[in-house]
Amino acid sequence: MTPSVLFVCVKNGGKSVMAEGLLRQAAGDAIEVHSAGTRPGTAVNALSAEALAEVGVDITGHVPVGIDPALLARVDKVITLGREAVVDVPGVTVINWDTDEPSERGIDGIERMRLVRDDITARVRNLSNELTK
């Protein structure tokens, strides 16, 4: 059976979509990958899209979505990114990736997104290896 992952952030326009795109790039069809937001926004973060385009991942067509309860109940792993997204559902185990937040160090713009991307990339590679071995 194909392992499945749901990445969650608040708006589903930045970190969760980055993780989704990076895991798709790393694992292809070997892992079923989804993303969602606790309070979905209206569009993908332009800097997130730019940072991913630099490594060959296109998320520009993504439309932010909320959490589908049926999907939440059936995926193998639910991973929140950052400190703001909270998924508190009985019976669902949630892993939190407390991702790098360069803005806390005064780093903004595309430099911030590159650091966030690189942090998520390392985590996604480990997850891909774990789920496909």
Side-chain angles (χ1 to χ4, degrees):
M1 195 168 124
T2 305
S4 55
V5 178
L6 172 62
F7 291 110
V8 179
C9 68
V10 175
K11 293 182 182 175
N12 189 221
K15 292 178 180 180
S16 63
V17 185
M18 294 175 83
E20 178 184 14
L22 289 163
L23 185 53
R24 280 216 170 100
Q25 182 186 53
D29 293 336
I31 301 172
E32 177 190 334
V33 188
H34 305 273
S35 70
T38 55
R39 291 190 307 276
T42 55
V44 167
N45 178 305
L47 291 175
S48 294
E50 183 181 339
L52 282 189
E54 293 175 351
V55 296
V57 176
D58 181 5
I59 60 168
T60 56
H62 178 81
V63 176
V65 297
I67 298 170
D68 174 352
L71 179 66
L72 184 65
R74 76 168 180 79
V75 294
D76 298 313
K77 292 205 182 283
V78 177
I79 300 172
T80 55
L81 290 97
R83 297 177 198 136
E84 296 176 8
V86 176
V87 177
D88 188 11
V89 177
V92 175
T93 301
V94 178
I95 299 161
N96 176 256
W97 286 357
D98 190 4
T99 49
D100 184 25
E101 194 38 75
S103 61
E104 293 173 358
R105 300 188 301 278
I107 302 169
D108 288 306
I110 191 63
E111 286 305 314
R112 170 184 177 262
M113 274 308 162
R114 287 178 180 135
L115 291 167
V116 169
R117 175 199 66 206
D118 294 347
D119 178 18
I120 294 172
T121 297
R123 294 167 187 265
V124 158
R125 285 189 182 132
N126 290 336
L127 178 66
S128 179
N129 291 337
E130 172 193 326
L131 293 176
T132 59
K133 65 180 171 192

mmCIF file with all atom_site columns, all heavy atoms in Angstrom, residues 43-69:
data_model
loop_
_atom_site.group_PDB
_atom_site.id
_atom_site.type_symbol
_atom_site.label_atom_id
_atom_site.label_alt_id
_atom_site.label_comp_id
_atom_site.label_asym_id
_atom_site.label_entity_id
_atom_site.label_seq_id
_atom_site.pdbx_PDB_ins_code
_atom_site.Cartn_x
_atom_site.Cartn_y
_atom_site.Cartn_z
_atom_site.occupancy
_atom_site.B_iso_or_equiv
_atom_site.pdbx_formal_charge
_atom_site.auth_seq_id
_atom_site.auth_comp_id
_atom_site.auth_asym_id
_atom_site.auth_atom_id
_atom_site.pdbx_PDB_model_num
ATOM 1   N N   . ALA A 1 43 ? -4.369  32.328 -2.161  1.00 0.00 ? 43 ALA A N   1
ATOM 2   C CA  . ALA A 1 43 ? -3.364  32.115 -3.199  1.00 0.00 ? 43 ALA A CA  1
ATOM 3   C C   . ALA A 1 43 ? -2.068  31.593 -2.594  1.00 0.00 ? 43 ALA A C   1
ATOM 4   O O   . ALA A 1 43 ? -1.846  31.693 -1.392  1.00 0.00 ? 43 ALA A O   1
ATOM 5   C CB  . ALA A 1 43 ? -3.086  33.428 -3.935  1.00 0.00 ? 43 ALA A CB  1
ATOM 6   N N   . VAL A 1 44 ? -1.223  31.072 -3.472  1.00 0.00 ? 44 VAL A N   1
ATOM 7   C CA  . VAL A 1 44 ? 0.109   30.636 -3.079  1.00 0.00 ? 44 VAL A CA  1
ATOM 8   C C   . VAL A 1 44 ? 0.967   31.870 -2.804  1.00 0.00 ? 44 VAL A C   1
ATOM 9   O O   . VAL A 1 44 ? 0.876   32.876 -3.515  1.00 0.00 ? 44 VAL A O   1
ATOM 10  C CB  . VAL A 1 44 ? 0.745   29.780 -4.210  1.00 0.00 ? 44 VAL A CB  1
ATOM 11  C CG1 . VAL A 1 44 ? 2.229   29.571 -3.989  1.00 0.00 ? 44 VAL A CG1 1
ATOM 12  C CG2 . VAL A 1 44 ? 0.034   28.440 -4.317  1.00 0.00 ? 44 VAL A CG2 1
ATOM 13  N N   . ASN A 1 45 ? 1.797   31.806 -1.773  1.00 0.00 ? 45 ASN A N   1
ATOM 14  C CA  . ASN A 1 45 ? 2.742   32.870 -1.463  1.00 0.00 ? 45 ASN A CA  1
ATOM 15  C C   . ASN A 1 45 ? 3.739   32.977 -2.625  1.00 0.00 ? 45 ASN A C   1
ATOM 16  O O   . ASN A 1 45 ? 4.397   31.995 -2.979  1.00 0.00 ? 45 ASN A O   1
ATOM 17  C CB  . ASN A 1 45 ? 3.455   32.523 -0.150  1.00 0.00 ? 45 ASN A CB  1
ATOM 18  C CG  . ASN A 1 45 ? 4.504   33.526 0.252   1.00 0.00 ? 45 ASN A CG  1
ATOM 19  O OD1 . ASN A 1 45 ? 5.421   33.827 -0.504  1.00 0.00 ? 45 ASN A OD1 1
ATOM 20  N ND2 . ASN A 1 45 ? 4.386   34.029 1.455   1.00 0.00 ? 45 ASN A ND2 1
ATOM 21  N N   . ALA A 1 46 ? 3.834   34.155 -3.223  1.00 0.00 ? 46 ALA A N   1
ATOM 22  C CA  . ALA A 1 46 ? 4.679   34.356 -4.406  1.00 0.00 ? 46 ALA A CA  1
ATOM 23  C C   . ALA A 1 46 ? 6.146   34.037 -4.125  1.00 0.00 ? 46 ALA A C   1
ATOM 24  O O   . ALA A 1 46 ? 6.838   33.468 -4.981  1.00 0.00 ? 46 ALA A O   1
ATOM 25  C CB  . ALA A 1 46 ? 4.530   35.783 -4.927  1.00 0.00 ? 46 ALA A CB  1
ATOM 26  N N   . LEU A 1 47 ? 6.637   34.379 -2.945  1.00 0.00 ? 47 LEU A N   1
ATOM 27  C CA  . LEU A 1 47 ? 8.035   34.100 -2.614  1.00 0.00 ? 47 LEU A CA  1
ATOM 28  C C   . LEU A 1 47 ? 8.259   32.602 -2.402  1.00 0.00 ? 47 LEU A C   1
ATOM 29  O O   . LEU A 1 47 ? 9.321   32.078 -2.738  1.00 0.00 ? 47 LEU A O   1
ATOM 30  C CB  . LEU A 1 47 ? 8.479   34.894 -1.391  1.00 0.00 ? 47 LEU A CB  1
ATOM 31  C CG  . LEU A 1 47 ? 8.596   36.412 -1.610  1.00 0.00 ? 47 LEU A CG  1
ATOM 32  C CD1 . LEU A 1 47 ? 8.916   37.121 -0.303  1.00 0.00 ? 47 LEU A CD1 1
ATOM 33  C CD2 . LEU A 1 47 ? 9.639   36.734 -2.670  1.00 0.00 ? 47 LEU A CD2 1
ATOM 34  N N   . SER A 1 48 ? 7.261   31.902 -1.850  1.00 0.00 ? 48 SER A N   1
ATOM 35  C CA  . SER A 1 48 ? 7.364   30.442 -1.727  1.00 0.00 ? 48 SER A CA  1
ATOM 36  C C   . SER A 1 48 ? 7.486   29.820 -3.116  1.00 0.00 ? 48 SER A C   1
ATOM 37  O O   . SER A 1 48 ? 8.324   28.945 -3.344  1.00 0.00 ? 48 SER A O   1
ATOM 38  C CB  . SER A 1 48 ? 6.117   29.862 -1.033  1.00 0.00 ? 48 SER A CB  1
ATOM 39  O OG  . SER A 1 48 ? 6.033   30.283 0.297   1.00 0.00 ? 48 SER A OG  1
ATOM 40  N N   . ALA A 1 49 ? 6.646   30.266 -4.032  1.00 0.00 ? 49 ALA A N   1
ATOM 41  C CA  . ALA A 1 49 ? 6.674   29.746 -5.405  1.00 0.00 ? 49 ALA A CA  1
ATOM 42  C C   . ALA A 1 49 ? 8.010   30.045 -6.074  1.00 0.00 ? 49 ALA A C   1
ATOM 43  O O   . ALA A 1 49 ? 8.582   29.179 -6.749  1.00 0.00 ? 49 ALA A O   1
ATOM 44  C CB  . ALA A 1 49 ? 5.517   30.329 -6.214  1.00 0.00 ? 49 ALA A CB  1
ATOM 45  N N   . GLU A 1 50 ? 8.532   31.247 -5.857  1.00 0.00 ? 50 GLU A N   1
ATOM 46  C CA  . GLU A 1 50 ? 9.814   31.627 -6.459  1.00 0.00 ? 50 GLU A CA  1
ATOM 47  C C   . GLU A 1 50 ? 10.956  30.766 -5.910  1.00 0.00 ? 50 GLU A C   1
ATOM 48  O O   . GLU A 1 50 ? 11.805  30.272 -6.671  1.00 0.00 ? 50 GLU A O   1
ATOM 49  C CB  . GLU A 1 50 ? 10.087  33.110 -6.183  1.00 0.00 ? 50 GLU A CB  1
ATOM 50  C CG  . GLU A 1 50 ? 11.364  33.626 -6.825  1.00 0.00 ? 50 GLU A CG  1
ATOM 51  C CD  . GLU A 1 50 ? 11.628  35.102 -6.527  1.00 0.00 ? 50 GLU A CD  1
ATOM 52  O OE1 . GLU A 1 50 ? 10.694  35.841 -6.173  1.00 0.00 ? 50 GLU A OE1 1
ATOM 53  O OE2 . GLU A 1 50 ? 12.799  35.508 -6.659  1.00 0.00 ? 50 GLU A OE2 1
ATOM 54  N N   . ALA A 1 51 ? 10.965  30.557 -4.582  1.00 0.00 ? 51 ALA A N   1
ATOM 55  C CA  . ALA A 1 51 ? 12.023  29.757 -3.967  1.00 0.00 ? 51 ALA A CA  1
ATOM 56  C C   . ALA A 1 51 ? 11.972  28.310 -4.457  1.00 0.00 ? 51 ALA A C   1
ATOM 57  O O   . ALA A 1 51 ? 13.012  27.679 -4.659  1.00 0.00 ? 51 ALA A O   1
ATOM 58  C CB  . ALA A 1 51 ? 11.916  29.813 -2.448  1.00 0.00 ? 51 ALA A CB  1
ATOM 59  N N   . LEU A 1 52 ? 10.776  27.765 -4.669  1.00 0.00 ? 52 LEU A N   1
ATOM 60  C CA  . LEU A 1 52 ? 10.664  26.391 -5.156  1.00 0.00 ? 52 LEU A CA  1
ATOM 61  C C   . LEU A 1 52 ? 11.016  26.292 -6.633  1.00 0.00 ? 52 LEU A C   1
ATOM 62  O O   . LEU A 1 52 ? 11.603  25.299 -7.062  1.00 0.00 ? 52 LEU A O   1
ATOM 63  C CB  . LEU A 1 52 ? 9.257   25.835 -4.914  1.00 0.00 ? 52 LEU A CB  1
ATOM 64  C CG  . LEU A 1 52 ? 8.971   25.394 -3.486  1.00 0.00 ? 52 LEU A CG  1
ATOM 65  C CD1 . LEU A 1 52 ? 7.642   24.664 -3.419  1.00 0.00 ? 52 LEU A CD1 1
ATOM 66  C CD2 . LEU A 1 52 ? 10.060  24.512 -2.920  1.00 0.00 ? 52 LEU A CD2 1
ATOM 67  N N   . ALA A 1 53 ? 10.661  27.317 -7.411  1.00 0.00 ? 53 ALA A N   1
ATOM 68  C CA  . ALA A 1 53 ? 11.009  27.311 -8.834  1.00 0.00 ? 53 ALA A CA  1
ATOM 69  C C   . ALA A 1 53 ? 12.520  27.201 -9.016  1.00 0.00 ? 53 ALA A C   1
ATOM 70  O O   . ALA A 1 53 ? 13.000  26.570 -9.962  1.00 0.00 ? 53 ALA A O   1
ATOM 71  C CB  . ALA A 1 53 ? 10.468  28.561 -9.516  1.00 0.00 ? 53 ALA A CB  1
ATOM 72  N N   . GLU A 1 54 ? 13.288  27.778 -8.084  1.00 0.00 ? 54 GLU A N   1
ATOM 73  C CA  . GLU A 1 54 ? 14.751  27.715 -8.153  1.00 0.00 ? 54 GLU A CA  1
ATOM 74  C C   . GLU A 1 54 ? 15.275  26.289 -8.059  1.00 0.00 ? 54 GLU A C   1
ATOM 75  O O   . GLU A 1 54 ? 16.385  26.011 -8.489  1.00 0.00 ? 54 GLU A O   1
ATOM 76  C CB  . GLU A 1 54 ? 15.373  28.560 -7.028  1.00 0.00 ? 54 GLU A CB  1
ATOM 77  C CG  . GLU A 1 54 ? 15.124  30.044 -7.176  1.00 0.00 ? 54 GLU A CG  1
ATOM 78  C CD  . GLU A 1 54 ? 15.642  30.867 -5.996  1.00 0.00 ? 54 GLU A CD  1
ATOM 79  O OE1 . GLU A 1 54 ? 16.052  30.293 -4.970  1.00 0.00 ? 54 GLU A OE1 1
ATOM 80  O OE2 . GLU A 1 54 ? 15.635  32.103 -6.124  1.00 0.00 ? 54 GLU A OE2 1
ATOM 81  N N   . VAL A 1 55 ? 14.489  25.373 -7.475  1.00 0.00 ? 55 VAL A N   1
ATOM 82  C CA  . VAL A 1 55 ? 14.908  23.974 -7.357  1.00 0.00 ? 55 VAL A CA  1
ATOM 83  C C   . VAL A 1 55 ? 14.037  23.050 -8.213  1.00 0.00 ? 55 VAL A C   1
ATOM 84  O O   . VAL A 1 55 ? 14.002  21.838 -8.009  1.00 0.00 ? 55 VAL A O   1
ATOM 85  C CB  . VAL A 1 55 ? 14.938  23.500 -5.875  1.00 0.00 ? 55 VAL A CB  1
ATOM 86  C CG1 . VAL A 1 55 ? 15.986  24.283 -5.093  1.00 0.00 ? 55 VAL A CG1 1
ATOM 87  C CG2 . VAL A 1 55 ? 13.574  23.595 -5.226  1.00 0.00 ? 55 VAL A CG2 1
ATOM 88  N N   . GLY A 1 56 ? 13.330  23.651 -9.179  1.00 0.00 ? 56 GLY A N   1
ATOM 89  C CA  . GLY A 1 56 ? 12.593  22.846 -10.148 1.00 0.00 ? 56 GLY A CA  1
ATOM 90  C C   . GLY A 1 56 ? 11.225  22.351 -9.716  1.00 0.00 ? 56 GLY A C   1
ATOM 91  O O   . GLY A 1 56 ? 10.704  21.379 -10.272 1.00 0.00 ? 56 GLY A O   1
ATOM 92  N N   . VAL A 1 57 ? 10.614  23.006 -8.729  1.00 0.00 ? 57 VAL A N   1
ATOM 93  C CA  . VAL A 1 57 ? 9.274   22.616 -8.277  1.00 0.00 ? 57 VAL A CA  1
ATOM 94  C C   . VAL A 1 57 ? 8.309   23.765 -8.568  1.00 0.00 ? 57 VAL A C   1
ATOM 95  O O   . VAL A 1 57 ? 8.544   24.902 -8.165  1.00 0.00 ? 57 VAL A O   1
ATOM 96  C CB  . VAL A 1 57 ? 9.262   22.285 -6.767  1.00 0.00 ? 57 VAL A CB  1
ATOM 97  C CG1 . VAL A 1 57 ? 7.852   21.971 -6.288  1.00 0.00 ? 57 VAL A CG1 1
ATOM 98  C CG2 . VAL A 1 57 ? 10.204  21.124 -6.462  1.00 0.00 ? 57 VAL A CG2 1
ATOM 99  N N   . ASP A 1 58 ? 7.215   23.460 -9.269  1.00 0.00 ? 58 ASP A N   1
ATOM 100 C CA  . ASP A 1 58 ? 6.224   24.474 -9.634  1.00 0.00 ? 58 ASP A CA  1
ATOM 101 C C   . ASP A 1 58 ? 4.968   24.307 -8.786  1.00 0.00 ? 58 ASP A C   1
ATOM 102 O O   . ASP A 1 58 ? 4.269   23.308 -8.907  1.00 0.00 ? 58 ASP A O   1
ATOM 103 C CB  . ASP A 1 58 ? 5.874   24.350 -11.116 1.00 0.00 ? 58 ASP A CB  1
ATOM 104 C CG  . ASP A 1 58 ? 4.868   25.397 -11.578 1.00 0.00 ? 58 ASP A CG  1
ATOM 105 O OD1 . ASP A 1 58 ? 4.493   26.291 -10.783 1.00 0.00 ? 58 ASP A OD1 1
ATOM 106 O OD2 . ASP A 1 58 ? 4.443   25.322 -12.747 1.00 0.00 ? 58 ASP A OD2 1
ATOM 107 N N   . ILE A 1 59 ? 4.679   25.282 -7.924  1.00 0.00 ? 59 ILE A N   1
ATOM 108 C CA  . ILE A 1 59 ? 3.457   25.244 -7.114  1.00 0.00 ? 59 ILE A CA  1
ATOM 109 C C   . ILE A 1 59 ? 2.495   26.361 -7.504  1.00 0.00 ? 59 ILE A C   1
ATOM 110 O O   . ILE A 1 59 ? 1.501   26.601 -6.822  1.00 0.00 ? 59 ILE A O   1
ATOM 111 C CB  . ILE A 1 59 ? 3.767   25.328 -5.596  1.00 0.00 ? 59 ILE A CB  1
ATOM 112 C CG1 . ILE A 1 59 ? 4.501   26.630 -5.238  1.00 0.00 ? 59 ILE A CG1 1
ATOM 113 C CG2 . ILE A 1 59 ? 4.540   24.096 -5.128  1.00 0.00 ? 59 ILE A CG2 1
ATOM 114 C CD1 . ILE A 1 59 ? 4.594   26.918 -3.732  1.00 0.00 ? 59 ILE A CD1 1
ATOM 115 N N   . THR A 1 60 ? 2.762   27.029 -8.623  1.00 0.00 ? 60 THR A N   1
ATOM 116 C CA  . THR A 1 60 ? 1.962   28.199 -8.985  1.00 0.00 ? 60 THR A CA  1
ATOM 117 C C   . THR A 1 60 ? 0.500   27.857 -9.270  1.00 0.00 ? 60 THR A C   1
ATOM 118 O O   . THR A 1 60 ? -0.361  28.712 -9.139  1.00 0.00 ? 60 THR A O   1
ATOM 119 C CB  . THR A 1 60 ? 2.560   28.934 -10.207 1.00 0.00 ? 60 THR A CB  1
ATOM 120 O OG1 . THR A 1 60 ? 2.682   28.005 -11.289 1.00 0.00 ? 60 THR A OG1 1
ATOM 121 C CG2 . THR A 1 60 ? 3.922   29.517 -9.878  1.00 0.00 ? 60 THR A CG2 1
ATOM 122 N N   . GLY A 1 61 ? 0.211   26.609 -9.627  1.00 0.00 ? 61 GLY A N   1
ATOM 123 C CA  . GLY A 1 61 ? -1.174  26.232 -9.915  1.00 0.00 ? 61 GLY A CA  1
ATOM 124 C C   . GLY A 1 61 ? -1.962  25.795 -8.692  1.00 0.00 ? 61 GLY A C   1
ATOM 125 O O   . GLY A 1 61 ? -3.150  25.492 -8.791  1.00 0.00 ? 61 GLY A O   1
ATOM 126 N N   . HIS A 1 62 ? -1.316  25.764 -7.529  1.00 0.00 ? 62 HIS A N   1
ATOM 127 C CA  . HIS A 1 62 ? -1.992  25.283 -6.320  1.00 0.00 ? 62 HIS A CA  1
ATOM 128 C C   . HIS A 1 62 ? -3.057  26.273 -5.846  1.00 0.00 ? 62 HIS A C   1
ATOM 129 O O   . HIS A 1 62 ? -2.845  27.470 -5.833  1.00 0.00 ? 62 HIS A O   1
ATOM 130 C CB  . HIS A 1 62 ? -0.967  25.068 -5.199  1.00 0.00 ? 62 HIS A CB  1
ATOM 131 C CG  . HIS A 1 62 ? -1.597  24.624 -3.910  1.00 0.00 ? 62 HIS A CG  1
ATOM 132 N ND1 . HIS A 1 62 ? -1.955  23.316 -3.685  1.00 0.00 ? 62 HIS A ND1 1
ATOM 133 C CD2 . HIS A 1 62 ? -1.966  25.319 -2.806  1.00 0.00 ? 62 HIS A CD2 1
ATOM 134 C CE1 . HIS A 1 62 ? -2.505  23.229 -2.482  1.00 0.00 ? 62 HIS A CE1 1
ATOM 135 N NE2 . HIS A 1 62 ? -2.517  24.424 -1.930  1.00 0.00 ? 62 HIS A NE2 1
ATOM 136 N N   . VAL A 1 63 ? -4.201  25.734 -5.464  1.00 0.00 ? 63 VAL A N   1
ATOM 137 C CA  . VAL A 1 63 ? -5.265  26.541 -4.867  1.00 0.00 ? 63 VAL A CA  1
ATOM 138 C C   . VAL A 1 63 ? -5.406  26.098 -3.404  1.00 0.00 ? 63 VAL A C   1
ATOM 139 O O   . VAL A 1 63 ? -5.639  24.913 -3.141  1.00 0.00 ? 63 VAL A O   1
ATOM 140 C CB  . VAL A 1 63 ? -6.601  26.330 -5.619  1.00 0.00 ? 63 VAL A CB  1
ATOM 141 C CG1 . VAL A 1 63 ? -7.716  27.100 -4.934  1.00 0.00 ? 63 VAL A CG1 1
ATOM 142 C CG2 . VAL A 1 63 ? -6.462  26.734 -7.074  1.00 0.00 ? 63 VAL A CG2 1
ATOM 143 N N   . PRO A 1 64 ? -5.232  27.020 -2.440  1.00 0.00 ? 64 PRO A N   1
ATOM 144 C CA  . PRO A 1 64 ? -5.327  26.657 -1.028  1.00 0.00 ? 64 PRO A CA  1
ATOM 145 C C   . PRO A 1 64 ? -6.672  26.014 -0.680  1.00 0.00 ? 64 PRO A C   1
ATOM 146 O O   . PRO A 1 64 ? -7.721  26.449 -1.161  1.00 0.00 ? 64 PRO A O   1
ATOM 147 C CB  . PRO A 1 64 ? -5.159  27.994 -0.306  1.00 0.00 ? 64 PRO A CB  1
ATOM 148 C CG  . PRO A 1 64 ? -4.331  28.817 -1.251  1.00 0.00 ? 64 PRO A CG  1
ATOM 149 C CD  . PRO A 1 64 ? -4.838  28.427 -2.618  1.00 0.00 ? 64 PRO A CD  1
ATOM 150 N N   . VAL A 1 65 ? -6.599  24.964 0.145   1.00 0.00 ? 65 VAL A N   1
ATOM 151 C CA  . VAL A 1 65 ? -7.801  24.250 0.577   1.00 0.00 ? 65 VAL A CA  1
ATOM 152 C C   . VAL A 1 65 ? -7.765  24.039 2.089   1.00 0.00 ? 65 VAL A C   1
ATOM 153 O O   . VAL A 1 65 ? -6.703  24.059 2.701   1.00 0.00 ? 65 VAL A O   1
ATOM 154 C CB  . VAL A 1 65 ? -7.944  22.867 -0.117  1.00 0.00 ? 65 VAL A CB  1
ATOM 155 C CG1 . VAL A 1 65 ? -8.106  23.035 -1.622  1.00 0.00 ? 65 VAL A CG1 1
ATOM 156 C CG2 . VAL A 1 65 ? -6.768  21.962 0.200   1.00 0.00 ? 65 VAL A CG2 1
ATOM 157 N N   . GLY A 1 66 ? -8.942  23.798 2.644   1.00 0.00 ? 66 GLY A N   1
ATOM 158 C CA  . GLY A 1 66 ? -9.050  23.460 4.058   1.00 0.00 ? 66 GLY A CA  1
ATOM 159 C C   . GLY A 1 66 ? -8.826  21.969 4.251   1.00 0.00 ? 66 GLY A C   1
ATOM 160 O O   . GLY A 1 66 ? -8.625  21.218 3.292   1.00 0.00 ? 66 GLY A O   1
ATOM 161 N N   . ILE A 1 67 ? -8.888  21.551 5.499   1.00 0.00 ? 67 ILE A N   1
ATOM 162 C CA  . ILE A 1 67 ? -8.655  20.148 5.836   1.00 0.00 ? 67 ILE A CA  1
ATOM 163 C C   . ILE A 1 67 ? -9.916  19.342 5.570   1.00 0.00 ? 67 ILE A C   1
ATOM 164 O O   . ILE A 1 67 ? -10.986 19.652 6.093   1.00 0.00 ? 67 ILE A O   1
ATOM 165 C CB  . ILE A 1 67 ? -8.235  20.011 7.310   1.00 0.00 ? 67 ILE A CB  1
ATOM 166 C CG1 . ILE A 1 67 ? -6.913  20.749 7.559   1.00 0.00 ? 67 ILE A CG1 1
ATOM 167 C CG2 . ILE A 1 67 ? -8.112  18.546 7.701   1.00 0.00 ? 67 ILE A CG2 1
ATOM 168 C CD1 . ILE A 1 67 ? -6.540  20.869 9.022   1.00 0.00 ? 67 ILE A CD1 1
ATOM 169 N N   . ASP A 1 68 ? -9.792  18.301 4.758   1.00 0.00 ? 68 ASP A N   1
ATOM 170 C CA  . ASP A 1 68 ? -10.891 17.382 4.474   1.00 0.00 ? 68 ASP A CA  1
ATOM 171 C C   . ASP A 1 68 ? -10.895 16.331 5.586   1.00 0.00 ? 68 ASP A C   1
ATOM 172 O O   . ASP A 1 68 ? -9.931  15.574 5.724   1.00 0.00 ? 68 ASP A O   1
ATOM 173 C CB  . ASP A 1 68 ? -10.659 16.737 3.107   1.00 0.00 ? 68 ASP A CB  1
ATOM 174 C CG  . ASP A 1 68 ? -11.669 15.659 2.764   1.00 0.00 ? 68 ASP A CG  1
ATOM 175 O OD1 . ASP A 1 68 ? -12.482 15.270 3.640   1.00 0.00 ? 68 ASP A OD1 1
ATOM 176 O OD2 . ASP A 1 68 ? -11.657 15.176 1.619   1.00 0.00 ? 68 ASP A OD2 1
ATOM 177 N N   . PRO A 1 69 ? -11.966 16.262 6.400   1.00 0.00 ? 69 PRO A N   1
ATOM 178 C CA  . PRO A 1 69 ? -11.998 15.313 7.518   1.00 0.00 ? 69 PRO A CA  1
ATOM 179 C C   . PRO A 1 69 ? -11.804 13.853 7.079   1.00 0.00 ? 69 PRO A C   1
ATOM 180 O O   . PRO A 1 69 ? -11.159 13.076 7.795   1.00 0.00 ? 69 PRO A O   1
ATOM 181 C CB  . PRO A 1 69 ? -13.387 15.516 8.132   1.00 0.00 ? 69 PRO A CB  1
ATOM 182 C CG  . PRO A 1 69 ? -13.798 16.893 7.703   1.00 0.00 ? 69 PRO A CG  1
ATOM 183 C CD  . PRO A 1 69 ? -13.161 17.110 6.365   1.00 0.00 ? 69 PRO A CD  1
#
